[in-house]
Amino acid sequence: MRGGAGGANLLALRSHNTALVLDLLRGAGAEGISRLELAERTGLTPQAVSKITARLRERGLAAEAGRRASTGGKPRTVLRLVPEAGHAIGVHLDRDELRAVLVDLDGAVVGERRVPLDLGAGADAVVEAVAGTARELTADTLCPPDGSVAAVSTPRPPDGSVAAVSTPRPPDGSVAAASTPRPPDGPVAAVSTPRLPDGSVAAVSTPRPPDSPLPAAPTPRPPDGSLAAAPTLLGLGVALPGPLDHVRGVLHRVTGFPEWDGFPLRDALEERLGVPVVVDKDTNAAALGLTAGGDRGPATASFAYLHLGTGLGAGLVIGGAVHRGARTGAGEFGHQVIQLDGPPCTCGARGCIEALCLAAVGRGDLAEAARVLGAGAANLAGLLDIDLVLLGGRTVAAAPGAFVEGVGAVLDARARREGGREGAVPVRIAPGGARGVAEGAAQLLLAPLFGRGDGG
């Protein structure tokens, strides 16, 4: 989608300085932060901070959070981010299921869906499954049952938490989540995001901000299934196995599903849904979610996220940024050949880590699977000198202790061979659990707004 209906262009807000202010507002939580503190922590002048915060308040992205005593003079007004002023959908397309989450500007999940899916069922079936799930999630969480779009009137508690509310069954008869959190009250406005045509990392898929508070009268939802009228929806992030072209949103020969080669998934979804779409590999999305998570993410600038589920891949974060490579193909970790003339892999090669690891899992030999995964992790640590290895994916989640211990043992052995004072690269389970990839996919839309990564 190259343009969108309603809202002021968030590119006007996505300057470096505005991103700094927004990120500090988000980090301050419900307690808020004063303009003076914003100026001190960003290095901006008080006048510049006042202009930026005035624009943010005008667009409904910031609000007063009270007053705080000062060392002299009148109490300072403190400001907070309005999390419910914007939302993004994150979709994790796995080989056998689809998981979608709706998150607010804080990254808090306010709605979720999980349905079976065959990635080999054909493009039309898969695209319609994604579009249908996104429509249901938006309708159930952001729109009332009558199909209109209206502001939500549930106040946010002082601690910033979001209370769950019961979600009615959609009119089509599908089964909604038993208790879907509904975003709290606050200025809510129409948002939409154009994708820039130049393909540059810094400028692709940037969210649009609200242009004014939501009118009192509900806005009818378009009859064609477009999500463009959802008042706070920034767009949709989709994460799936690679390889793929992240900049153009075009799939390559997805491992095990070569029929996807050349399919323009981004454009197909934008045409159906009428909102911006960003497509990336599942491992990159998860890694972005970890870097954009603030205090919830790892306290290191360089790490590898290894995802073992129905396949095996890596998300690489180097110097605080997701490393995608010149052709956005970095992280095909599972297709390192470590056994010449080994068993065939679905990629067409033989002896890949993915083939060996999944074969061991299939035999029930988790110790061997962890050892193979550890050999790949050790290669990665030696090549990139990373600080941390994070493990995720449903196979790891089924036996986290076995994988942390097994991968850690291989890295320990490597450290002993090399000597030195630093010791082995630590191994941990990635935060985020089963929906970490889906949450990361939502950050493909949100992270650029806060200067936390290049979602596009």
Side-chain angles (χ1 to χ4, degrees), residues 22-49:
L22 278 169
D23 197 44
L24 288 172
L25 286 170
R26 182 174 63 167
E31 293 183 1
I33 185 171
S34 71
R35 293 178 181 83
L36 179 60
E37 291 172 290
L38 288 170
E40 290 172 347
R41 294 180 63 178
T42 60
L44 299 173
T45 65
Q47 293 83 358
V49 168

Side-chain angles (χ1 to χ4, degrees), residues 87 161 185 309:
H87 296 87
S161 61
D185 194 17

Side-chain angles (χ1 to χ4, degrees), residues 96-182:
D96 59 358
E97 73 170 24
L98 181 159
R99 184 187 294 268
V101 297
L102 182 76
V103 306
D104 64 16
L105 293 180
D106 260 340
V109 175
V110 296
E112 182 174 6
R113 289 288 183 279
R114 181 185 177 193
V115 296
L117 176 77
D118 177 6
L119 195 57
D124 288 344
V126 172
V127 169
E128 188 49 46
V130 174
T133 302
R135 292 184 193 112
E136 289 180 7
L137 194 54
T138 303
D140 291 348
T141 313
L142 297 182
C143 307
D146 62 4
S148 62
V149 175
V152 180
S153 60
T154 304
R156 177 176 293 271
D159 63 0
S161 61
V162 180
V165 298
S166 128
T167 302
R169 180 180 297 273
D172 63 2
S174 61
V175 179
S179 180
T180 303
R182 182 177 294 274

